[in-house]
Amino acid sequence: MPRRFLWILPFAVFTAFAFKFLYRNLWFDEAMTLLNFAMVNPVRDIYFFYPVPNNHILHTFLLRGWLELQPEGIGITFFLRLFPFLTGLGVLAALLFLFRRRTRRPSLLLAATALSGSLPFLIYATSLHGYVLSASGASLTLAFGLRYIESRVRHYFVLYALAAMFTAGIIPSNLIVIAACVLYILPVLGRDFYRKPQFWYLAIAPNIMFLLFYLPIWRQFMGVCALGEGWDSPWAVLRAVLAAVCVTFGVLLIAGLASVKHRPSFRLVRGGVWLLPLVFLFLTPKAPFPRVIFPFFPLFTLLVAGGLDDFFAVMRKRGVSTRHIFLILCGFVLISGGVMQQSSVRAYLSRCFGGGIWRDDFSTVTI
């Protein structure tokens, strides 16, 4: 296959697998988002009406605008799900084209294809929640942050700050995802990163933008924080998240871990991104729903691609054909994605690692 057509693979896999997800009925939370928040009048009250965390504010604004565009002859549920579907395509495009010079093409293609056909991505990239929009915001925040550090051009910093406000304005907990973006950038700054003002700009700006967005509704925000919604056991959430990561990337994780000794200090710093979700799980009064971790998945994709870079480098040194390895791994990814579409497999994963259909986990069976 010509190389230029390989870039189509993640989009094709996502579109093919997501088709049936676009027709599933609305969950209770989705119906609440639509009826209680997106349909609020006047529209500006979407910002001020913040009694529960279901109102992902900026996502709700965009969902309301999308609803106004509904043409005749298209079912409302299908049309509504097209909005997160298109956002999911945007996430894949951001990963493939904003970061294509930061990892080798085969590695990035494999990781992005694994993400595109995974259950977590298919579920939340067709869901009326703000999680896939948060993933797109995190991707842009990371891309602009890297551009700013490498070029020192001020307008990239402005774009970084605006992307951080956009990401945090969807879901407040995305502030931890932005912290993961900063952690991912640290190796670019070097060992003495703490002496460079650019690091402090990156670290402080998102917090300022977060306060600017939420201070006008601070009382409502604190009320939402006091609700303490989530799962009773952080260990159950951790099990669900680990299962989701393994289901998503599968054998690619093993390939990445096989080369952990390659550039260990560089990988060790960025490896901290895997651990940041533990802040949610064990340092909050109540463990959050597993879906709160979904905006980390673009960063996980890039980390897996980085591990595959090391793996392919080791294989080349040993004289092994990386082209054959790429095709084998690609086959594993596609077969694994196809298996995960089976309803019996989804039901099993939901029963063993999630909370069933009423718990809204990473392997819901409600399609």
Side-chain angles (χ1 to χ4, degrees):
M1 181 183 294
R3 291 183 177 183
R4 62 180 177 273
F5 291 115
L6 283 176
W7 293 108
I8 301 174
L9 184 61
F11 300 102
V13 170
F14 174 57
T15 302
F17 287 163
F19 187 75
K20 60 183 176 182
F21 285 80
L22 294 171
Y23 288 94
R24 73 188 193 273
N25 294 326
L26 296 181
W27 300 335
F28 172 79
D29 282 359
E30 291 178 309
M32 178 186 292
T33 297
L34 179 64
L35 298 176
N36 291 14
F37 303 115
M39 300 303 297
V40 166
N41 284 308
V43 176
R44 65 175 181 271
D45 284 352
I46 292 174
Y47 176 66
F48 295 99
F49 186 51
Y50 191 48
V52 292
N54 290 73
N55 185 9
H56 299 163
I57 296 175
L58 291 183
H59 169 264
T60 307
F61 272 112
L62 293 175
L63 183 63
R64 172 61 176 270
W66 178 257
L67 186 61
E68 298 293 335
L69 299 175
Q70 183 191 4
E72 295 183 4
I74 298 182
I76 181 65
T77 302
F78 177 81
F79 180 74
L80 286 171
R81 294 200 185 280
L82 280 179
F83 171 59
F85 171 79
L86 294 174
T87 308
L89 290 176
V91 172
L92 294 175
L95 288 172
L96 289 170
F97 300 115
L98 295 181
F99 299 96
R100 61 180 177 177
R101 299 186 186 278
R102 303 187 183 281
T103 61
R104 296 180 65 85
R105 180 184 294 129
S107 304
L108 187 56
L109 275 172
L110 283 172
T113 303
L115 177 70
S116 69
S118 68
L119 281 177
F121 194 74
L122 291 168
I123 290 169
Y124 290 106
T126 55
S127 166
L128 301 191
H129 294 127
Y131 300 107
V132 71
L133 193 64
S134 299
S136 68
S139 302
L140 293 175
T141 302
L142 178 59
F144 291 138
L146 285 167
R147 293 282 180 88
Y148 168 65
I149 292 302
E150 292 172 345
S151 68
R152 308 296 172 89
V153 176
R154 291 182 180 178
H155 76 261
Y156 281 125
F157 174 74
V158 174
L159 291 172
Y160 165 81
L162 291 175
M165 174 181 270
F166 175 77
T167 307
I170 301 169
I171 306 173
S173 58
N174 285 341
L175 196 61
I176 302 294
V177 183
I178 298 170
C181 293
V182 176
L183 186 59
Y184 187 95
I185 295 171
L186 281 189
V188 182
L189 286 164
R191 294 183 179 180
D192 58 343
F193 64 89
Y194 54 88
R195 296 181 178 178
K196 298 178 179 179
Q198 289 78 18
F199 163 72
W200 296 105
Y201 296 157
L202 291 184
I204 295 173
N207 295 282
I208 295 174
M209 303 306 278
F210 177 90
L211 291 174
L212 288 175
F213 187 88
Y214 285 102
L215 275 178
I217 55 170
W218 192 254
R219 181 178 298 178
Q220 298 94 311
F221 171 72
M222 295 305 295
V224 168
C225 293
L227 292 176
E229 294 187 356
W231 282 15
D232 295 329
S233 170
W235 295 104
V237 179
L238 179 61
R239 183 172 65 248
V241 172
L242 289 176
V245 170
C246 291
V247 163
T248 298
F249 299 110
V251 71
L252 302 186
L253 288 172
I254 300 174
L257 291 174
S259 60
V260 72
K261 292 183 179 181
H262 191 70
R263 293 196 292 175
S265 60
F266 188 85
R267 296 299 176 208
L268 182 62
V269 175
R270 287 188 171 172
V273 172
W274 294 103
L275 302 178
L276 272 183
L278 298 179
V279 174
F280 284 129
L281 274 56
F282 296 101
L283 298 183
T284 53
K286 192 168 186 177
F289 293 107
R291 60 183 183 265
V292 175
I293 310 300
F294 179 78
F296 280 87
F297 272 69
L299 280 78
F300 292 163
T301 303
L302 294 174
L303 291 172
V304 170
L308 288 172
D309 274 351
D310 298 343
F311 174 72
F312 283 126
V314 171
M315 291 298 101
R316 280 193 298 272
K317 288 182 179 179
R318 296 180 178 179
V320 180
S321 171
T322 54
R323 179 177 298 180
H324 292 160
I325 294 176
F326 172 82
L327 293 174
I328 292 171
L329 291 178
C330 191
F332 272 115
V333 166
L334 296 176
I335 292 171
S336 175
V339 169
M340 295 302 163
Q341 308 313 310
Q342 305 304 311
S343 59
S344 58
V345 175
R346 293 197 304 270
Y348 175 79
L349 291 171
S350 183
R351 185 171 60 252
C352 294
F353 302 106
I357 61 174
W358 304 114
R359 298 295 290 275
D360 195 6
D361 55 46
F362 281 123
S363 48
T364 181
V365 294
T366 54
I367 61 171

